[in-house]
Amino acid sequence: MTPLLGLNQTIYLDHNATTPLCPAVKSKMDEYALLPLNPSSIHSNGRAAKSIIENARKLIAKLMGFESNFRNYQVTFTSGATEANNIILANYRDGEIFISATEHLSIWAHSKVASNFTVIQVDKDGVLDLEDLQQKLASSTKQKKLVSVMLANNETGVISFLQEIAKISHEHDAQIHSDCAQATGKIPVDMIVMDLDFASISGHKFGGPVGSGALVSKTSFHLQPIFIGGGQERSLRSGTENVPAIAGLGEAALIAFDELDKRNDKMKKLRDKLESKLLNKFPDIIIAGINTERLPNTSLIINPKVTAQIMLIALDLKGVAVSSGSACSSGKVGKSHVLSAMGCSDDEIKSAIRVSLGYTTSDKDINDFLEIYSELNR
């Protein structure tokens, strides 16, 4: 067997890209992987598949805070947050869509090809400008309006004040959607408290399988599908459901719910240690968004003395996996629209690397990274 590439990397610090599959999740998926399970079938195998899927919906509801109001929300299983984001955006093509200047590319890229997008500015810490949001909503002449703001930024980890954003949105008769992919499983996500109408998640960001995700929506909104088929998922997402992946997503949600406080505390302690030691040793370093609330696992390190491309290669050769804050889908280092919106200079943007921890990250991983990073920056 040909060995897999990348196995020389002993320090994995790129959990915002993807996090390892939780062993208990793999075990759950293995229970069903070899079985013929089509939830649309009426025989016992089909009924069993349907039961597995419905149980996973309830576990998503538990993780996202609407278990007690389950009937008021619809959980539609998708291939991930990107697909979920596209479904909700497609439903507002005939309206106006307001997005933050730091949205994930699965939302941000739409603003470059569609004319019904309005971008809301952020401050130097990456926090949404609520006054700009209010003014632009008030100026809108569209009857149908959507505000889409991610709960936590994938590059900086900066957390949005969604409760306030939702209040302003609803005051202007706009619905609110949040891409919660980076936040789910790392911090509490409560759709009721935040008063979200729609939310997107991806399983592989919190220990679930790649290719699993969901769109959560209030049942009071009737959404249209982006492709037509056999009518699965209440006709919103046709196609035979991937039962093992959905079971894995549900199991990952249950584990994340049970371990949330422990995971959060562990990652925050490790992140704070990483940042304090870096800032003490390299006073010219900037941590993006350090002055506002962030995910407990994310550090976007700006060191204008060395470009991200050089640093990524050097760290990779030492067995350390991190990413550029501006890594694009092709794997090349591009200019980050997130850091541009935050007012960073070109040199700062070109130097940014993202270190993102996970629930499997150890104290030794941090110590080894600090030693290697210091060696490379002498």
Side-chain angles (χ1 to χ4, degrees):
M1 181 182 291
T2 303
L4 293 174
L5 298 176
L7 290 182
N8 63 318
Q9 274 162 349
T10 57
I11 307 170
Y12 184 76
L13 298 174
D14 197 17
H15 290 263
N16 282 10
T18 193
T19 207
L21 187 68
C22 179
V25 171
K26 181 183 182 299
S27 296
K28 177 64 69 173
M29 295 174 67
D30 286 345
E31 289 180 33
Y32 309 119
L34 298 180
L35 300 178
L37 297 171
N38 187 330
S40 298
S41 301
I42 61 173
H43 49 62
S44 58
N45 276 36
R47 295 195 302 273
K50 187 73 171 175
S51 177
I52 292 166
I53 286 179
E54 294 310 316
N55 181 61
R57 284 191 225 280
K58 291 176 182 177
L59 295 175
I60 297 298
K62 180 190 263 309
L63 180 62
M64 300 190 71
F66 60 92
E67 185 181 23
S68 61
N69 294 80
F70 185 69
R71 292 187 177 181
N72 293 330
Y73 294 87
Q74 178 176 339
V75 178
T76 303
F77 291 112
T78 66
S79 61
T82 291
E83 183 186 345
N85 290 344
N86 275 267
I87 291 173
I88 193 63
L89 294 181
N91 274 267
Y92 284 83
R93 284 181 184 142
D94 55 344
E96 187 170 2
I97 301 173
F98 300 81
I99 66 171
S100 80
T102 55
E103 286 304 300
H104 186 271
L105 285 174
S106 60
I107 288 176
W108 174 257
H110 288 263
S111 68
K112 300 301 180 186
V113 296
S115 60
N116 64 327
F117 279 74
T118 298
V119 177
I120 309 301
Q121 300 308 308
V122 299
D123 66 17
K124 60 182 176 60
D125 292 314
V127 177
L128 192 78
D129 186 333
L130 297 180
E131 187 175 338
D132 190 39
L133 171 65
Q134 194 146 12
Q135 289 175 354
K136 286 175 177 173
L137 279 171
S139 300
S140 177
T141 58
K142 293 286 188 179
Q143 290 292 316
K144 193 173 180 181
K145 298 184 283 288
L146 177 74
V147 175
S148 184
V149 177
M150 64 200 313
L151 176 52
N153 188 267
N154 54 301
E155 293 187 27
T156 64
V158 169
I159 295 171
S160 299
F161 304 112
L162 281 186
Q163 204 166 345
E164 295 176 51
I165 295 168
K167 184 174 183 293
I168 293 170
S169 300
H170 291 144
E171 285 173 351
H172 290 86
D173 298 320
Q175 284 77 58
I176 180 165
H177 162 260
S178 183
D179 179 345
C180 296
Q182 286 298 342
T184 309
K186 299 184 183 106
I187 60 174
V189 178
D190 193 316
M191 288 198 64
I192 295 176
V193 169
M194 292 186 290
D195 200 14
L196 296 179
D197 299 305
F198 315 104
S200 306
I201 65 170
S202 276
H204 72 109
K205 304 296 186 181
F206 57 94
V210 173
S212 68
L215 171 65
V216 181
S217 55
K218 287 183 178 176
T219 54
S220 54
F221 297 103
H222 181 67
L223 299 176
Q224 298 297 322
I226 58 175
F227 51 86
I228 308 299
Q232 291 88 350
E233 294 296 286
R234 300 184 188 177
S235 296
L236 185 54
R237 206 281 187 176
S238 290
T240 302
E241 296 92 338
N242 185 340
V243 176
I246 291 172
L249 176 64
E251 187 71 9
L254 176 61
I255 295 168
F257 178 84
D258 289 340
E259 297 183 356
L260 186 63
D261 290 341
K262 183 173 71 174
R263 289 182 179 187
N264 187 306
D265 184 60
K266 175 187 176 182
M267 290 188 293
K268 187 176 186 303
K269 284 179 180 175
L270 292 176
R271 184 205 67 184
D272 290 350
K273 173 183 177 178
L274 168 73
E275 292 181 353
S276 65
K277 288 189 176 294
L278 278 178
L279 292 170
N280 283 336
K281 188 155 190 178
F282 303 100
D284 292 335
I285 278 180
I286 300 166
I287 306 293
I290 196 170
N291 297 315
T292 191
E293 192 175 354
R294 290 176 296 145
L295 290 175
N297 78 315
T298 306
S299 299
L300 189 65
I301 301 165
I302 297 172
N303 183 357
K305 292 182 178 179
V306 59
T307 66
Q309 193 159 6
I310 290 173
M311 183 54 63
L312 289 179
I313 293 170
L315 287 169
D316 185 59
L317 290 172
K318 294 285 187 178
V320 180
V322 298
S323 71
S324 165
S326 54
C328 64
S329 59
S330 65
K332 297 177 183 178
V333 177
K335 184 173 181 179
S336 167
H337 71 280
V338 172
L339 294 180
S340 293
M342 292 168 64
C344 293
S345 69
D346 284 347
D347 285 344
E348 289 172 339
I349 293 170
K350 290 175 183 176
S351 76
I353 65 167
R354 183 187 66 190
V355 176
S356 50
L357 319 183
Y359 60 88
T360 58
T361 303
S362 67
D363 194 60
K364 184 178 185 303
D365 290 332
I366 300 303
N367 289 337
D368 288 348
F369 171 80
L370 287 167
E371 183 178 340
I372 292 167
Y373 187 88
S374 297
E375 178 187 329
L376 295 174
N377 286 276
R378 283 176 183 163

